[in-house]
Amino acid sequence: MTRRSAISDGIQPFRIEISQADVDHLHHRLADARWPDELPGVEWARGIPPAYLRELAEYWRTQYDWRAQEARLNQYPQFTTEIDGQRIHFLHVRSDQPDAKPLLITHGYPSSVAEFLHLIEPLVNPVEGQAFHVVAPSLPGYAFSTPLGGTGWAMGRTARAWAELMRRLGYERYGVHGGDVGAGVSGMVADLDGEHVIGVHVVTDPLTAASTATFLPGMADRLNENDPVDKLILDRMDAFTREGSGYLAIQNSRPQTIGYGLVDSPLLQLAWIAEKFHEWTDLPIGRDQLLTTVSLYWFTGCGATAAHTLYEQAHSSDWGAPPAVPQGFAVFGADDTVRRLVPAPADAHWTEFRHGRHFPAIEAPAELAADLQAFFAPLK
């Protein structure tokens, strides 16, 4: 079953231990923040409103308990290792069930392994059904997979690192899952390491599918504006280009410049992520969950390095090939548009959920866990 001993590959235990000086510094910076004026009647039309952000920042400063969230993360075994010159941080949570299957899960942007805090337990210790040994790495340049060791960390290089990580952990056969950037990485792992991957499962939603379509050459020309479903896709693509893509355009072109603000200003880092959580969800997400992700970006200074990896992918020609292993898709907030945009094979596992969107591991972890069980349970 195993391919090689993990001990010989330099895997080290890891605990999150943010110094009290860093926590105090965050509180000080929030207390002394400079605020822009609020234009009347603008609301969310031009970005995150100051009144909304003031309340969230004050909660972050005075009520949010980082130590409690740090302890929640530290309840799961964590490790670091160096692969291809890059420090990789990951959670590795093994199940006690004898038929558990290894599952590599990858977060997206703007997210972190904290996205999986509500998903790990139902996967590792399910009440019934398939159990998993969960491996959840932090993407290169994110959270504790920092500092970024150099340029070139697009999805293909990350996928090769993930295949090496699973080899080091000794897993001969394993499944992969992800969303957003994690979906792309997971698909490339399945393509690159198909000898060992039993199946790939990804999540998407109508907005993510439409925004991704804006980057596909000739996609708009293949859609018919007289068809109501195609018209909805075209409208969403246009809305993303005009109003929703600014954050990505900046990071895809000037990651170093925006990085100064993301690393130096807790307000900017908070606004940068909180805006996306507001726009890309339709089920409630608690403030503590949101602020745990923001805190991981702030304490590790990874806002800049995450931006660099987005730049790398935007300038990469390596998008992989369709994997030859079984494929599964879970669509959250589903409508008729996703079927037309996602190139799923005819025999793919396909499940649609009415609610949830970009962060289903946070918004609907029970539904996502059940779909992962349903997809991977029959695979040998």
Side-chain angles (χ1 to χ4, degrees):
M1 180 68 181
T2 60
R3 286 185 272 169
R4 188 173 174 183
S5 169
I7 297 175
S8 65
D9 286 306
I11 294 177
Q12 302 294 329
F14 178 83
R15 278 183 61 84
I16 302 171
E17 295 178 332
I18 301 301
S19 73
Q20 189 57 44
D22 285 343
V23 176
D24 293 341
H25 177 252
L26 168 63
H27 294 165
H28 172 75
R29 291 294 304 277
L30 289 169
D32 286 353
R34 297 180 63 189
W35 290 88
D37 294 332
E38 183 165 8
L39 295 176
V42 171
E43 297 297 330
W44 286 86
R46 303 187 184 187
I48 193 166
Y52 178 93
L53 197 67
R54 277 182 183 273
E55 181 181 355
L56 190 57
E58 184 63 10
Y59 181 86
W60 195 15
R61 185 179 73 87
T62 62
Q63 298 182 59
Y64 172 75
D65 186 350
W66 163 252
R67 292 301 179 204
Q69 301 305 315
E70 185 180 62
R72 283 186 71 204
L73 286 162
N74 280 333
Q75 71 180 309
Y76 297 116
Q78 299 174 59
F79 305 86
T80 61
T81 191
E82 183 175 309
I83 301 175
D84 193 13
Q86 174 62 46
R87 169 173 141 141
I88 300 297
H89 161 262
F90 61 99
L91 279 61
H92 185 199
V93 190
R94 290 184 58 85
S95 175
D96 292 331
Q97 298 195 20
D99 64 342
K101 295 178 178 177
L103 180 63
L104 173 67
I105 59 177
T106 306
H107 67 84
Y109 178 87
S111 196
S112 68
V113 293
E115 177 178 338
F116 303 126
L117 283 174
H118 299 288
L119 184 65
I120 291 175
E121 191 63 25
L123 292 179
V124 174
N125 298 305
V127 175
E128 59 181 2
Q130 180 66 55
F132 299 92
H133 305 305
V134 173
V135 179
S138 297
L139 287 166
Y142 288 68
F144 300 103
S145 289
T146 51
L148 197 60
T151 60
W153 280 100
M155 292 192 300
R157 189 175 179 185
T158 300
R160 289 186 287 274
W162 275 198
E164 169 63 13
L165 174 62
M166 296 303 279
R167 184 197 65 78
R168 290 187 185 186
L169 293 175
Y171 290 127
E172 184 69 29
R173 299 284 284 163
Y174 62 95
V176 289
H177 160 78
D180 187 65
V181 175
V185 171
S186 296
M188 296 183 82
V189 172
D191 175 40
L192 294 166
D193 199 28
E195 178 185 356
H196 300 105
V197 173
I198 64 172
V200 54
H201 181 280
V202 300
V203 293
T204 190
D205 63 90
L207 181 59
T208 299
S211 60
T212 301
T214 64
F215 299 101
L216 301 177
M219 173 57 74
D221 296 333
R222 296 197 293 270
L223 298 171
N224 179 7
E225 64 179 10
N226 294 319
D227 179 284
V229 176
D230 282 4
K231 180 65 164 58
L232 181 55
I233 294 171
L234 288 166
D235 288 346
R236 286 176 177 162
M237 290 170 63
D238 181 61
F240 177 75
T241 300
R242 289 185 295 103
E243 301 174 2
S245 62
Y247 80 101
L248 197 55
I250 294 171
Q251 294 178 117
N252 285 353
S253 60
R254 295 294 184 270
Q256 188 66 56
T257 303
I258 190 62
Y260 297 115
L262 293 172
V263 169
D264 186 59
S265 170
L267 277 192
L268 179 57
Q269 184 64 86
L270 176 62
W272 204 250
I273 294 178
E275 178 186 81
K276 298 311 170 197
F277 270 67
H278 176 84
E279 291 180 348
W280 295 350
T281 59
D282 71 350
L283 292 176
I285 290 180
R287 286 185 293 186
D288 285 356
Q289 177 73 54
L290 164 63
L291 290 171
T292 297
T293 292
V294 177
S295 296
L296 287 172
Y297 276 69
W298 173 254
F299 288 133
T300 63
C302 75
T305 49
H308 277 288
T309 63
L310 294 174
Y311 175 95
E312 297 289 354
Q313 190 57 46
H315 293 79
S316 173
S317 58
D318 183 9
W319 290 86
V325 303
Q327 297 181 50
F329 298 83
V331 184
F332 288 83
D335 62 20
D336 293 336
T337 65
V338 182
R339 275 281 192 184
R340 298 198 182 180
L341 291 172
V342 174
D347 61 348
H349 170 96
W350 186 278
T351 310
E352 296 185 353
F353 298 93
R354 184 174 180 182
H355 297 293
R357 286 176 61 188
H358 193 73
F359 303 100
I362 303 173
E363 297 177 84
E367 290 84 351
L368 177 54
D371 200 60
L372 285 163
Q373 289 180 307
F375 174 64
F376 282 108
L379 302 182
K380 302 300 182 183

